[in-house]
């Protein structure tokens, strides 16, 4: 049994090296964009959440004060845990996004003591560009697959996610 487990581990590591090389995950930026893979993932998470609620740091501060001095520690901690990133690193990414005009912080209409962190129109456009580039790259990658091969690949991806404990909502996003 240990030999089978070791062989499986070697296969997973071999696949990881193959896939990261195939899709260029070790490149400095994702899909020749201005964003690293981690930044792109944070942008994706911000774009796919209804808005992250954070405590109001003390009232109606101006834009620059909110962008650069907001205590985003609680937001960064929760999101960092989900993404398995150091909170300080995520805080730097969130501050970079705020400085670039990709995110905004606005009062929560339901509770004036809370603020909502979400993408701006510029942030949504950046996310849409990243997603379109990733879709194009994956389209090129899989262009040579016949219909039954594409279905087989989709099934294999869903199976790997299920076997390794992927969340149901993550699996739903894959084509059936």
């Amino acid at each position: 049994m240990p030999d089978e487990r070791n062989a499986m581990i070697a296969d997973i590591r071999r696949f990881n090296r193959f896939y990261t090389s195939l899709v260029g995950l070790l490149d400095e930026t994702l899909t020749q964009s201005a964003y690293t893979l981690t930044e792109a993932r944070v942008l994706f998470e911000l774009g796919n959440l209804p808005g992250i609620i954070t405590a109001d740091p003390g009232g109606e501060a101006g834009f620059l004060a909110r962008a650069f001095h907001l205590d985003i520690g609680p937001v960064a901690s929760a999101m960092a845990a989900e993404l398995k990133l150091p909170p300080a690193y995520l805080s730097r990414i969130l501050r970079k996004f705020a400085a670039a005009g990709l995110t905004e912080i606005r009062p929560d209409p339901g509770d004036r003591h809370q603020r909502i962190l979400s993408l701006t129109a510029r942030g949504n456009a950046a996310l849409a560009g990243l997603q379109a580039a990733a879709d194009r790259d994956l389209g090129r990658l899989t262009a040579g697959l016949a219909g039954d091969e594409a279905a087989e690949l989709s099934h294999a991806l869903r199976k790997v996610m299920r076997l390794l404990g992927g969340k149901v909502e993550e699996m739903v996003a894959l084509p059936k």
Side-chain angles (χ1 to χ4, degrees):
M1 185 72 157
D3 287 338
E4 290 174 9
R5 180 78 47 181
N6 289 338
M8 177 199 59
I9 290 169
D11 286 341
I12 291 171
R13 292 176 56 93
R14 189 176 308 108
F15 177 80
N16 284 342
R17 288 190 304 277
F18 161 77
Y19 189 72
T20 56
S21 175
L22 182 68
V23 299
L25 291 180
L26 298 180
D27 292 344
E28 183 70 22
T29 58
L30 185 65
T31 63
Q32 286 78 49
S33 74
Y35 306 103
T36 66
L37 176 60
T38 304
E39 291 169 345
R41 176 65 192 270
V42 171
L43 200 61
F44 176 82
E45 292 301 325
L46 287 170
N48 287 285
L49 295 172
I52 298 173
I53 297 177
T54 183
D56 185 340
E60 297 296 323
F63 169 75
L64 289 177
R66 288 195 316 268
F68 295 104
H69 300 293
L70 175 69
D71 177 16
I72 55 177
V75 172
S77 292
M79 190 180 228
E82 178 69 25
L83 296 175
K84 297 177 178 58
L85 294 173
Y89 179 43
L90 184 59
S91 290
R92 286 192 302 276
I93 291 172
L94 293 174
R95 289 184 197 285
K96 176 183 175 180
F97 286 175
L102 301 178
T103 58
E104 67 180 352
I105 299 165
R106 63 189 186 312
D108 181 354
D111 182 351
R112 301 288 294 172
H113 297 288
Q114 300 288 323
R115 296 259 187 227
I116 297 176
L117 172 65
S118 61
L119 292 180
T120 61
R122 180 183 285 170
N124 281 313
L127 176 59
L130 283 172
Q131 289 177 322
D135 288 350
R136 280 191 308 273
D137 289 350
L138 291 171
R140 280 192 291 263
L141 178 65
T142 58
L145 296 179
D148 60 334
E149 291 171 322
E152 182 181 353
L153 178 58
S154 290
H155 175 75
L157 293 171
R158 286 192 304 272
K159 186 172 185 176
V160 166
M161 288 179 68
R162 180 182 56 78
L163 289 172
L164 296 179
K167 296 178 184 174
V168 173
E169 59 271 15
E170 290 172 351
M171 291 192 292
V172 171
L174 291 172
K176 295 189 177 181

